[in-house]
Amino acid sequence: MKITDAVLLEIKDSVALITIENPPVNALSHNVRFGVKKAIELVMADESVSSIVIYCSGRTFCAGADIKEFGAPMQEPVHSQLHDLMDSVNKPIIAGIHGTALGGGLELALSCHYRVAISTAKLGLPEVQLGILPGAGGTQRLPRLVGPKKALDMVVSGMPIGAKEALDYGLIDKLVDSDLLAAVMLFAREKGVSNNDHIRVRDRDEKLRLVEQSIFSDARKVISRRARGFTAPEYNIRCIEAAVHKPFDEGISIESDLVMELMKGDQARAQQYFFFAERQASKIEGLSKGTKHRPIFKVGVIGGGLMGGGISMNMANVNIPVTMIETSEKALEQGLKTIRNNYESTASKGRISFDIAKQRYELIKGSLDLGDLNDCDLIIEAVFEEMSVKKDIFSRLDSILKQDAILASNTSALNLNEIASATTRPQSVIGLHFFSPANVMKLLEVVRGEKTSDDVIATCMSFAKRINKVPVLVGVCPGFVGNRILHYRQIQANQLALEGVPIEQIDRVLYEFGFPMGPFQMGDLAGLDLGWKADSSNSSDIRDRLCELGRFGQKSGNGFYDYEGRMPIHSDIVSEVIKDCGRLQGIERRDSSDNEILDRCLLPMINEGAKILEEGIASRASDIDVVYVYGYGWPRYRGGPMHYANCLGLKKVIAKLQHYRENTGDDFWTPCQFLVDLADSQSLFT
Ligand code: 3HC
């Protein structure tokens, strides 16, 4: 029987089977909540039914509340009304779990008396990643099954666990390897006729009594390191504390108050916006769904330095063989050694086994001969940023590579169209801009040249996901999206320093905003000598002067800062250098407030982001935000620069830009026309 367009009810041999059909991920939209509640009400009083199964069709169990419904008042029945009803049913209710049971989906399963899962299933409460907490009883029921310590781990990290681990912790009652539906129906039939009490999860308090109080302070220590600035993790901890110290109903009431408070906050709004921004980024407008993908079985990487090595590891990590090219035996040996050390270090930290580390390492073969790339499907060039060198390599590759091979450059700033012109197949040339360290950073700027073909773009966007990257498609311009915008922040950070603002203050303000580090510490980490040439060094430029002194950043032990290990320490030498550069440039010294520092660093980023949209270099404002959160550490709880601008209000952004324009007389601050037009039409960045 169809209860709603998303819920079916069938009675099979005394078991009521409620099937949710709400593709793609069976989110608990209103028609699902309504349908499940109605179905339960129908069978509660039916004496021919002895047990109830909740099952989902399609690729997964429920992935949680329907996030698209957030922001408007939730239509009844709300999740808790459904769960209260389930708690009042005197027949066993069993969830059959496959795919992922996440958030409200797992909470639905927690309100069942039993859970049967297939061995590939994953279960988790990822609400913290959306800036909220599991507000449908999850924080009160989960610790009753898995114990408060494991529950804390799960809600604070938001990471799901596998079905086997779930069984070990008592989160599920039975694990099956195949035919979940048949297994859960059989399980339900047995429970339906057994004389056992079917204890509700809310009544199972035994694991709550075995708690060491230090788990809460330990969890707080962890979040102060890993989730600095985020509000939701602390609220999740408070709910688990409530589960331990308060009766169930009081815990539920605390959970409900705290989730409402979080829901109203800016962080939840930003994190939920970002959830969709990330998914939107992989969609390419104008590309037909039927676009064929080129197969990629083997990858070639040219350059075995830090970048080339990191790129190669991405492939090996997902079992793709790599040929890595270097120009000398020594460089090749060094490159391979670094990769091996990286894998061994990961294995010694217990993150992968030594066997897996070895398997991965062995997938990377070194060579000194470009000719060895003749069987590769994708070649990624990662040599130093010199146009003539890149063009030479690309023209040589032309005669070596298979006809349908994709030629990618990892350039971070050079003109991809010019690189492509060195080949007879510019349609097969694309930019794949990895971020350093390439085996760690999630962002991949996929750079579309003016002749890059649609199938090459489609292949690279999906290949990026295969190697666990978050791809964003961008157009050709100096620095593409990320570095181009960053350049404008750096201009102001330098200007502030030249005016006499201590670099420590500038770094602190940006750190407190939520970046992992400020611009000067970031410069030291990246290396100040990148692109620096001694013969054209300028004595009034801060970075050039530091390089002249051999202060190249962390790698040389000093840069903008001196270093004790990785700890930055103030340097009087640097203060003097900056003062001298300011004097040589005729810059008047003045103080700046923290607010001014923040405005002067962030507003130019927004203005440049608007120009990028105006020029069509990025297709959506949210793509720029994805670049910034994944590539540059913009705090996710602030959504990204364009979302931040929307929150400030575009008229306010323009007013601030104009204020600096008037104060300085510098065109740098002129608001871009696109931004002005958006604000005039009361629109926002989209
Ligand atoms: N609500 C609405 N839409 C959702 C959704 C949700 N909970 N979860 C996924 N979707 C949508 C995605 O936006 C995407 O839509 P699109 O095709 O239009 O872009 C589509 O479903 C497929 O999602 P993915 O591209 O992410 O597919 P994957 O197969 O890579 O991943 C997934 C599937 C693991 C389920 C992943 O989508 C996911 O992690 N979803 C979110 C899970 C989550 O955070 N749940 C908690 C929600 S809040 C909650 O439950 C509150 C509760 O306490 C009351």
Side-chain angles (χ1 to χ4, degrees):
M1 185 199 319
K2 214 168 175 160
I3 306 287
T4 64
D5 57 357
V7 177
L8 292 175
L9 170 65
E10 296 159 89
I11 315 279
K12 291 185 172 177
D13 201 8
S14 82
V15 179
L17 171 63
I18 299 173
T19 307
I20 299 172
E21 272 185 3
N22 189 26
V25 295
N26 291 314
L28 292 159
S29 322
H30 175 251
N31 55 353
V32 174
R33 297 191 306 275
F34 180 82
V36 174
K37 181 162 179 280
K38 186 93 203 266
I40 293 176
E41 282 163 350
L42 281 175
V43 296
M44 266 171 92
D46 184 338
E47 286 188 359
S48 70
V49 171
S50 57
S51 57
I52 302 169
V53 165
I54 298 182
Y55 182 75
C56 290
S57 67
R59 68 196 227 210
T60 180
F61 193 74
C62 305
D66 186 342
I67 305 167
K68 292 197 186 86
E69 287 183 357
F70 290 0
M74 188 170 274
Q75 272 183 280
E76 295 198 352
V78 298
H79 298 265
S80 59
Q81 288 170 323
L82 173 58
H83 296 187
D84 287 347
L85 175 73
M86 291 166 75
D87 273 342
S88 73
V89 175
N90 59 0
K91 304 171 189 203
I93 311 179
I94 301 100
I97 299 171
H98 65 109
T100 43
L102 298 178
L106 179 56
E107 294 176 280
L108 180 70
L110 286 168
S111 287
C112 296
H113 299 88
Y114 304 99
R115 286 143 296 279
V116 176
I118 195 139
S119 47
T120 49
K122 291 205 160 112
L123 303 91
L125 293 176
E127 282 87 341
V128 72
Q129 289 163 4
L130 298 169
I132 53 173
L133 54 83
T139 64
Q140 304 307 297
R141 289 190 178 88
L142 184 68
R144 285 175 160 78
L145 286 184
V146 303
K149 185 167 188 312
K150 186 65 185 171
L152 264 178
D153 284 353
M154 288 176 71
V155 297
V156 168
S157 72
M159 295 308 287
I161 59 173
K164 170 75 179 62
E165 194 179 353
L167 181 70
D168 293 344
Y169 274 98
L171 178 51
I172 61 173
D173 303 279
K174 188 174 170 67
L175 191 65
V176 296
D177 287 324
S178 61
D179 207 348
L180 172 69
L181 184 55
V184 70
M185 291 299 279
L186 179 63
F187 186 93
R189 218 162 285 133
E190 286 167 6
K191 291 294 174 194
V193 295
S194 81
N195 291 324
N196 295 348
D197 282 343
H198 306 293
I199 304 171
R200 302 178 300 180
V201 172
R202 57 172 286 154
D203 298 326
R204 296 179 56 179
D205 286 357
E206 62 278 9
K207 288 196 178 169
L208 299 183
R209 292 184 216 119
L210 311 165
V211 183
E212 300 227 6
Q213 287 310 309
S214 59
I215 61 170
F216 298 110
S217 51
D218 290 349
R220 289 195 166 93
K221 266 186 220 144
V222 170
I223 63 168
S224 69
R225 274 200 324 271
R226 294 205 195 136
R228 184 178 59 89
F230 286 85
T231 310
E234 165 61 25
Y235 279 52
N236 275 272
I237 296 176
R238 282 189 212 163
C239 286
I240 305 290
E241 273 176 328
V244 171
H245 298 302
K246 311 275 182 195
F248 182 83
D249 287 327
E250 219 178 299
I252 286 283
S253 155
I254 290 172
E255 180 194 88
S256 157
D257 289 349
L258 292 181
V259 78
M260 290 310 290
E261 200 182 317
L262 285 175
M263 269 292 189
K264 286 189 214 136
D266 292 343
Q267 293 206 356
R269 190 151 59 111
Q271 287 174 250
Q272 288 157 22
Y273 154 82
F274 195 75
F275 173 86
F276 290 112
E278 191 179 337
R279 279 155 182 85
Q280 193 68 10
S282 55
K283 300 193 174 93
I284 313 156
E285 268 158 32
L287 214 66
S288 81
K289 275 207 158 173
T291 306
K292 279 207 165 143
H293 289 206
R294 300 190 188 182
I296 296 181
F297 297 110
K298 190 167 182 195
V299 173
V301 176
I302 307 174
L306 278 185
M307 209 60 196
I311 293 173
S312 302
M313 289 176 74
N314 284 295
M315 317 301 156
N317 291 348
V318 294
N319 226 7
I320 301 174
V322 181
T323 301
M324 191 174 89
I325 306 288
E326 254 303 348
T327 45
S328 74
E329 199 67 65
K330 192 168 163 226
L332 187 59
E333 217 171 89
Q334 181 55 45
L336 290 170
K337 190 170 151 207
T338 306
I339 294 173
R340 195 174 55 228
N341 289 346
N342 277 341
Y343 276 130
E344 278 172 4
S345 140
T346 311
S348 56
K349 287 178 194 144
R351 295 204 193 123
I352 52 173
S353 69
F354 280 95
D355 277 351
I356 297 221
K358 183 164 177 281
Q359 271 168 31
R360 291 185 183 173
Y361 170 68
E362 285 175 353
L363 278 169
I364 303 171
K365 300 268 177 279
S367 167
L368 299 176
D369 181 5
L370 272 187
D372 284 345
L373 298 177
N374 61 359
D375 60 347
C376 292
D377 306 295
L378 165 69
I379 291 86
I380 304 169
E381 162 277 308
V383 303
F384 55 93
E385 293 284 79
E386 187 68 60
M387 180 58 88
S388 58
V389 179
K390 296 205 188 247
K391 280 172 89 171
D392 175 55
I393 290 174
F394 272 69
S395 71
R396 280 159 64 203
L397 286 174
D398 228 3
S399 59
I400 296 167
L401 300 184
K402 293 200 287 195
Q403 204 40 51
D404 61 350
I406 296 176
L407 288 79
S409 173
N410 176 50
T411 180
S412 58
L414 297 179
N415 185 331
L416 184 80
N417 297 328
E418 193 178 338
I419 299 175
S421 73
T423 74
T424 58
R425 37 176 137 169
Q427 72 281 1
S428 294
V429 176
I430 196 162
L432 292 181
H433 179 207
F434 289 80
F435 286 69
S436 183
N439 52 321
V440 176
M441 297 290 287
K442 298 281 281 178
L443 179 65
L444 185 68
E445 279 186 327
V446 177
V447 189
R448 156 192 237 155
E450 63 189 10
K451 296 198 174 144
T452 312
S453 67
D454 282 358
D455 65 332
V456 168
I457 294 171
T459 305
C460 288
M461 292 296 284
S462 70
F463 181 73
K465 289 193 158 181
R466 203 170 138 202
I467 58 170
N468 296 314
K469 297 289 171 197
V470 176
V472 179
L473 186 64
V474 302
V476 176
C477 68
F480 310 123
V481 168
N483 284 342
R484 172 168 161 183
I485 291 179
L486 193 69
H487 177 65
Y488 287 82
R489 185 182 85 173
Q490 196 60 45
I491 289 177
Q492 276 309 304
N494 282 346
Q495 182 67 21
L496 283 158
L498 290 166
E499 288 168 15
V501 182
I503 58 169
E504 288 83 354
Q505 186 185 353
I506 302 167
D507 276 348
R508 175 184 52 76
V509 168
L510 287 160
Y511 177 79
E512 285 172 2
F513 178 78
F515 284 101
M517 63 190 85
F520 298 103
Q521 282 187 30
M522 186 173 160
D524 276 354
L525 186 67
L528 302 181
D529 56 334
L530 271 180
W532 174 71
K533 291 193 178 112
D535 45 7
S536 56
S537 190
N538 174 352
S539 59
S540 64
D541 180 280
I542 306 173
R543 187 195 71 152
D544 286 8
R545 281 280 292 278
L546 295 182
C547 287
E548 285 167 21
L549 293 171
R551 301 182 70 105
F552 296 142
Q554 271 197 33
K555 62 182 167 190
S556 64
N558 53 26
F560 282 106
Y561 296 90
D562 291 337
Y563 284 90
E564 260 173 28
R566 285 191 183 172
M567 166 94 83
I569 294 167
H570 171 83
S571 158
D572 286 340
I573 298 175
V574 173
S575 296
E576 279 310 309
V577 166
I578 294 175
K579 200 168 170 186
D580 197 43
C581 289
R583 185 184 54 77
L584 288 169
Q585 292 186 38
I587 293 171
E588 207 175 303
R589 286 174 79 78
R590 57 188 285 276
D591 289 335
S592 289
S593 69
D594 287 0
N595 280 343
E596 180 181 339
I597 293 171
L598 199 59
D599 276 352
R600 284 179 56 185
C601 287
L602 300 189
L603 294 170
M605 299 174 81
I606 296 168
N607 202 25
E608 200 56 27
K611 286 184 201 157
I612 280 174
L613 289 171
E614 187 173 47
E615 293 165 21
I617 296 294
S619 355
R620 315 171 186 96
S622 57
D623 287 1
I624 298 178
D625 288 338
V626 174
V627 166
Y628 258 79
V629 169
Y630 275 113
Y632 297 84
W634 185 288
R636 186 184 286 241
Y637 58 80
R638 294 190 196 273
M642 311 318 277
H643 175 80
Y644 180 71
N646 282 343
C647 293
L648 279 179
L650 300 190
K651 287 218 154 107
K652 192 165 169 194
V653 170
I654 291 174
K656 281 173 179 259
L657 286 165
Q658 277 163 345
H659 162 80
Y660 289 111
R661 167 88 184 73
E662 277 155 28
N663 273 9
T664 59
D666 188 347
D667 269 347
F668 176 90
W669 293 104
T670 306
C672 124
Q673 193 55 44
F674 181 71
L675 171 57
V676 174
D677 292 345
L678 273 187
D680 284 349
S681 60
Q682 316 279 350
S683 306
L684 293 171
F685 287 121
T686 51

